[in-house]
C-alpha cells in the first residue's frame, strides 16, 4: 500500500566535495580499489542527517550504475558474483538511512550500463598488469544474451534482494528499503523508441526483451518481501508503456526537466493532475530540478520554479511524491536550497521527517 505522499530526494551518489562517487558507493571497483561507503561511513551519515533535517524521508540512490563497482566479472565480461565488499557497503547504507529515519529506493542499473566507452580493466596476459579499456558497447552484452541475463539474476540480483527479504540474512534491514528500481531512464536504450535512444548506445534493447527483465525482477522482489518496484521513466510520452500489469511495477515514476524550448516534452505537475494521465498505478515525480533559478546545465533553458512550489503542486494534484535532483549537487543542477524545503516541512509536518523540527 502506498501512502498519500512520500517526501524524498535524489541522493544518486555520494561526494566528498572533490571526488564524485558515481557507481563507486557499493563494492570494490574494476580498478582494484574499494571506495565504498563503509570506508566513509561518518561522512555519509552526515549527509543523511542533513537530508533528514530538511524533512526528507526517502533517498533514491544508484547502486551499480554502469557496472564499474560491486560486481565481479568473468573473462567473458559476464557477472560472476558480488564482490566481497559489496554487502558491507549496502548494509551500511541501510543502517545509515535507518539511523536518520529514512528509507532507500535502490536504483540497480543506470542506462549508462549500455553506453559505449564504459570503462573497465583487463589483465595483460604476459605481465598480469591491469590495463584500462573502454567497452565499445558498454555492458549491453549482459542484457542481450540469455546467459548474461541469467548470470545477472542468479549471481547479483537474487543474492541482493533475498538478503533483505523475509528470512534473509539481513531481514532486520528490510524496513529501511522502500523500493527497488531496475534501471534509471531506460528510455535512452530501448530500440523502438528511436527519438529517445541515445547516440551513445550502439546496441539498444528491444522493448519486449527489456519488459521480460522488468517482469522477472518485479517477480523476484515481490517474492522476497514487502519492498516495492518502480522504474525511472525519462520521457512523458513513454510512461504509458510501464503501466502494463504484466510488468508488475507498483509505482510509475516520471522524470521532468521542463524546458522552454521543449514545452510538450515534460510533465508539468502545476498544470497536470496524476489522474488526468489515465494510468492505473500511483505516479511519482522521481526527478525534477531542485534549484533551477540558481543552477542549470549549460545550454538548458529551464522553466524556473521554486522546489516547494513543485512539491505543493505534486501533493495537491495526486502524485505520491516529488523528489528534487539532487542533494549531492555534483552536476549542473547544483545542490538543493534549504529555505523552501524547510518552509514545505513547516506546512506539512505529518508528511516529513520529524528531524526537520529538532534543534541542531
Amino acid at each position: 500500500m502506498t501512502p498519500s505522499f512520500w517526501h524524498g530526494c535524489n541522493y544518486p551518489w555520494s561526494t566528498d566535495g572533490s571526488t564524485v562517487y558515481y557507481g563507486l558507493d557499493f563494492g570494490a571497483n574494476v580498478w582494484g580499489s574499494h571506495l565504498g561507503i563503509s570506508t566513509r561511513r561518518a561522512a555519509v551519515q552526515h549527509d543523511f542527517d542533513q537530508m533528514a533535517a530538511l524533512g526528507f524521508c526517502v533517498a533514491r540512490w544508484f547502486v551499480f550504475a554502469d557496472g564499474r563497482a560491486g560486481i565481479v566479472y568473468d573473462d567473458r565480461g559476464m557477472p560472476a558474483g558480488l564482490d566481497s565488499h559489496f554487502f558491507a557497503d549496502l548494509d551500511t547504507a541501510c543502517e545509515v538511512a535507518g539511523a536518520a529515519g529514512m528509507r532507500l529506493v535502490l536504483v540497480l542499473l543506470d542506462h549508462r550500463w549500455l553506453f559505449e566507452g564504459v570503462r573497465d580493466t583487463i589483465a595483460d596476459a604476459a605481465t598480469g598488469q591491469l590495463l584500462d579499456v573502454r567497452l565499445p558497447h558498454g555492458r549491453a552484452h549482459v542484457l542481450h544474451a540469455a546467459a548474461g541475463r541469467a548470470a545477472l539474476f542468479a549471481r547479483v540480483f537474487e543474492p541482493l534482494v533475498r538478503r533483505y527479504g523475509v528470512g534473509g540474512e539481513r531481514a532486520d534491514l528490510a524496513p529501511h528499503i522502500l523500493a527497488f528500481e531496475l534501471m534509471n531512464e531506460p528510455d535512452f536504450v530501448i530500440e523502438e523508441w528511436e527519438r529517445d535512444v541515445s547516440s551513445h548506445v550502439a546496441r539498444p534493447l528491444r522493448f519486449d526483451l527489456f519488459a521480460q527483465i522488468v517482469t522477472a525482477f518485479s517477480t523476484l522482489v515481490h517474492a522476497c518481501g514487502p519492498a516495492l518496484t518502480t522504474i525511472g521513466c525519462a520521457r512523458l510520452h513513454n510512461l504509458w508503456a510501464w503501466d502494463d500489469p504484466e510488468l508488475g511495477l507498483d509505482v510509475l515514476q516520471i522524470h521532468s526537466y521542463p524546458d522552454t524550448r521543449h514545452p510538450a516534452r515534460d510533465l508539468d505537475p502545476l498544470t497536470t493532475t496524476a489522474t488526468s494521465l489515465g494510468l492505473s498505478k500511483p505516479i511519482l515525480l522521481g526527478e525534477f530540478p531542485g534549484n533551477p533559478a540558481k543552477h542549470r546545465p549549460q545550454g538548458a533553458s529551464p522553466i524556473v520554479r521554486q522546489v516547494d512550489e513543485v512539491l505543493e503542486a505534486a501533493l495537491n494534484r495526486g502524485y505520491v511524491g516529488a523528489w528534487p535532483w539532487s542533494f549531492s549537487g555534483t552536476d549542473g543542477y547544483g545542490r538543493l536550497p534549504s529555505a523552501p524545503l524547510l518552509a514545505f516541512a513547516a506546512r506539512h509536518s505529518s508528511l516529513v521527517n520529524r528531524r526537520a523540527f529538532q534543534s541542531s
Side-chain angles (χ1 to χ4, degrees), residues 18 32 37 42 55 93 104 108 115 132 154 159 184 208 211 216 222 225 229 232 250 288 292 318:
S18 58
I37 64 164
L104 301 175
L108 298 195
F115 270 27
D132 200 24
N184 173 57
D208 66 327
H222 294 148
T229 56
D250 299 298
F288 71 93

Side-chain angles (χ1 to χ4, degrees), residues 32-254:
S33 64
H34 175 223
L35 304 174
I37 64 164
S38 63
T39 70
R40 300 177 280 111
R41 180 171 184 143
V44 173
Q45 184 69 68
H46 179 68
D47 285 348
F48 271 77
D49 290 343
Q50 286 189 311
M51 284 186 276
L54 292 172
F56 293 122
C57 301
V58 181
R60 179 172 175 261
W61 201 344
F62 289 29
V63 179
F64 299 113
D66 62 1
R68 65 181 60 190
I71 301 174
V72 178
Y73 300 94
D74 64 20
D75 56 6
R76 300 170 300 157
M78 296 298 189
L82 293 162
D83 83 81
S84 60
H85 298 284
F86 177 78
F87 282 130
D89 291 324
L90 193 50
D91 289 354
T92 296
C94 294
E95 292 163 0
V96 162
M102 296 181 64
R103 304 175 75 188
L104 301 175
V105 172
L106 298 174
V107 185
L108 298 195
L109 307 180
D110 191 11
H111 60 267
R112 291 174 178 267
W113 178 277
L114 289 89
F115 270 27
E116 61 186 12
V118 165
R119 297 179 66 185
D120 202 350
T121 58
I122 59 172
D124 183 277
T127 66
Q129 180 181 358
L130 290 179
L131 305 176
D132 200 24
V133 298
R134 292 187 178 272
L135 305 176
H137 303 138
R139 303 190 191 280
H141 62 288
V142 175
L143 300 181
H144 276 282
R149 298 191 298 274
L152 188 63
F153 270 82
R155 299 167 185 168
V156 177
F157 291 168
E158 290 185 21
L160 191 168
V161 174
R162 293 189 187 282
R163 180 179 180 85
Y164 305 104
V166 175
E169 186 176 349
R170 292 308 308 268
D172 59 304
L173 297 177
H176 309 316
I177 299 175
L178 173 63
F180 290 98
E181 181 178 329
L182 175 63
M183 182 179 284
N184 173 57
E185 300 183 340
D187 311 61
F188 304 126
V189 304
I190 299 297
E191 184 175 349
E192 292 90 336
W193 296 350
E194 295 179 358
R195 59 174 164 168
D196 301 316
V197 174
S198 170
S199 60
H200 298 291
V201 177
R203 296 188 64 197
L205 291 166
R206 299 191 322 273
F207 180 82
D208 66 327
L209 178 57
F210 190 71
Q212 292 174 25
I213 301 171
V214 173
T215 299
F217 185 70
S218 295
T219 300
L220 169 65
V221 171
H222 294 148
C224 290
L228 304 176
T229 56
T230 184
I231 201 159
C233 181
R235 295 289 181 254
L236 182 59
H237 55 250
N238 297 327
L239 188 59
W240 64 272
W242 307 114
D243 198 35
D244 185 342
E246 293 295 320
L247 300 177
L249 296 172
D250 299 298
V251 178
L252 302 183
Q253 182 187 153
I254 182 65

Side-chain angles (χ1 to χ4, degrees), residues 5 7-9 56 270 285 288-293 304-314 322-325 335-344 347:
F5 198 79
H7 188 41
C9 71
F56 293 122
L270 273 70
L285 181 55
F288 71 93
N291 194 4
V304 176
R305 294 195 174 108
Q306 284 280 3
V307 63
D308 60 332
E309 184 182 10
V310 177
L311 290 170
E312 293 286 357
W323 298 350
W325 184 278
R335 289 181 65 87
L336 304 180
S338 298
L341 290 169
L342 292 174
F344 178 84
R347 294 192 296 268

